[in-house]
Amino acid sequence: AKGAGKGRWCRYQSELHTAIVERLELRAALTEAVQKLSFSVEYQPIVDMRTGAAVGFEALARWHHPARGPVPPDQFIGLAEETGLIEPIGSWVLRQAVEAAARWHTVRHEATAVPVATGTPYVSINVSARQLRTPGFVGTVRAALEAADVPPSRVMLEITESLLLRDQEPVWTELAELRTLGLRVAIDDFGTGFSSLSYLQQMPADVLKLDRSFTETIASSRRQRLLVEGIIRLAGTLGLEIIAEGIETEAVRTILLDLGCASGQGYLFSRPLRDPDALRWLHGDPPA
Ligand code: C2E
Ligand code: CA
Ligand code: CA
Ligand code: CA
């Protein structure tokens, strides 16, 4: 028995060792990626579900690892947060996204497959806890907007619900300042945290992004549909716009429209696109 215990312990130690080495390797690779800027940004259309026209794009970071290929953000944003590398990565994404937005002027075509947006689309950028707490963040945002000559009204920042609940004081003050400048703030992954109603009313936000875990299930669950209906009503009462995430089917689109939610994003409309394709999509042209 003692021998078996020792075997387990050794196996545990060697697994732990492998995990630590892997993490260190990933960390070293991420540091190098920041120096070499081995990242890109993709843009997923946010559409008016009544017409299918894009009203904005969400910017999503991509890391191109020399050996592993593309590393999904869920696998490196956390590490970037822990190591502080999120600051250079985040400001790079911010500048890229704002520069891309500067190019998104809508051009009207006569007959196109995809309906063309009526206004100039905004860009929505994910911002993490550490970025928001970095002194000078508001200045970084202002500088990026000025450099690209993009008005604040065309930029939205996405903050997760859990972050808004966690670090209220510093984060809320920062967001209030950004909103004063004219940027919009969206509460990301709404429904996964536990905002109380009174909090929701006070939060420095303009938009609720309804998490995919809700939209996924509304076609099959009546309970879920009632819950989403309640959230949409509540948002309306509080003057918040709703954007539903992760719409993959026509059935889900129809239900959301019936419930009064007009904006959404998801594979039904488009996957995240590289910048030239985002512009083509906007003009109603198929990707190259
Ligand atoms: P998120 O902000 O909730 O972004 C939505 C995620 O859902 C994206 O994954 C998007 O590609 C995916 N998605 C969109 N439509 C559909 C759909 O119809 N079905 C399904 N199954 N998925 C869909 P992605 O690009 O892998 O990003 C994952 C997360 O990484 C994001 O979740 C966000 O929290 C984080 N992230 C991405 N880029 C950045 C960034 O620049 N900065 C920060 N701080 N976080 C980022
Ligand atoms: Ca987001
Ligand atoms: Ca989300
Ligand atoms: Ca998420």
Side-chain angles (χ1 to χ4, degrees):
K2 216 178 170 187
K6 195 176 175 205
R8 260 204 308 278
W9 170 247
C10 287
R11 201 156 50 244
Y12 168 73
Q13 279 235 308
S14 100
E15 275 165 17
L16 190 64
H17 184 252
T18 309
I20 291 170
V21 168
E22 234 172 60
R23 206 164 167 72
L24 284 173
E25 272 170 10
L26 202 63
R27 187 180 165 147
L30 191 60
T31 309
E32 199 182 317
V34 169
Q35 283 151 7
K36 293 189 175 160
L37 288 176
S38 325
F39 302 94
S40 66
V41 183
E42 289 187 348
Y43 300 93
Q44 185 177 38
I46 300 171
V47 307
D48 179 337
M49 296 192 285
R50 291 166 300 193
T51 62
V55 292
F57 288 90
E58 178 175 3
L60 295 157
R62 301 290 178 251
W63 173 20
H64 308 279
H65 191 286
R68 297 180 191 213
V71 183
D74 287 331
Q75 280 172 39
F76 73 86
I77 294 291
L79 180 65
E81 278 253 309
E82 284 167 36
T83 52
L85 289 167
I86 193 68
E87 287 166 30
I89 298 172
S91 14
W92 184 81
V93 168
L94 177 80
R95 283 196 305 275
Q96 292 291 309
V98 171
E99 280 168 22
R103 293 189 289 269
W104 296 336
H105 293 295
T106 39
V107 177
R108 281 200 165 277
H109 286 234
E110 288 313 310
T112 53
V114 181
V116 174
T118 43
T120 311
Y122 59 84
V123 67
S124 197
I125 303 165
N126 294 286
V127 175
S128 74
R130 187 135 175 189
Q131 262 178 293
L132 261 181
R133 284 196 310 254
T134 304
F137 179 69
V138 174
T140 306
V141 173
R142 282 181 87 144
L145 291 175
E146 275 162 26
D149 200 17
V150 166
S153 59
R154 286 192 52 213
V155 178
M156 183 155 90
L157 301 178
E158 301 195 4
I159 322 292
T160 59
E161 184 185 24
S162 54
L163 163 60
L164 272 169
L165 294 175
R166 208 169 61 219
D167 297 325
Q168 281 188 37
E169 269 307 309
V171 167
W172 288 34
T173 315
E174 205 80 347
L175 292 176
E177 203 177 330
L178 288 159
R179 288 179 78 214
T180 307
L181 291 177
L183 288 97
R184 290 194 304 155
V185 170
I187 305 177
D188 203 355
D189 300 348
F190 183 77
T192 57
F194 297 95
S195 309
S196 73
L197 298 187
S198 60
Y199 263 7
L200 193 56
Q201 192 172 12
Q202 295 164 33
M203 277 185 183
D206 307 278
V207 172
L208 290 187
K209 293 198 77 174
L210 189 64
D211 192 68
R212 177 158 60 90
S213 55
F214 288 93
T215 40
E216 252 175 354
T217 45
I218 51 173
S220 54
S221 157
R222 195 182 114 82
R223 263 193 88 221
Q224 201 73 349
R225 206 151 51 233
L226 289 171
L227 192 59
V228 169
E229 187 173 13
I231 294 174
I232 292 171
R233 273 225 202 97
L234 175 70
T237 309
L238 297 175
L240 295 162
E241 190 200 323
I242 288 236
I243 298 174
E245 300 184 312
I247 299 157
E248 295 184 355
T249 65
E250 189 53 47
V252 168
R253 182 187 85 104
T254 309
I255 294 167
L256 284 166
L257 281 174
D258 279 347
L259 296 180
C261 172
S263 307
Q265 62 190 108
Y267 297 162
L268 175 67
F269 307 106
S270 172
R271 297 208 166 234
L273 304 165
R274 290 171 319 147
D275 187 26
D277 288 339
L279 194 61
R280 277 186 206 104
W281 200 89
L282 196 60
H283 292 175
D285 301 329

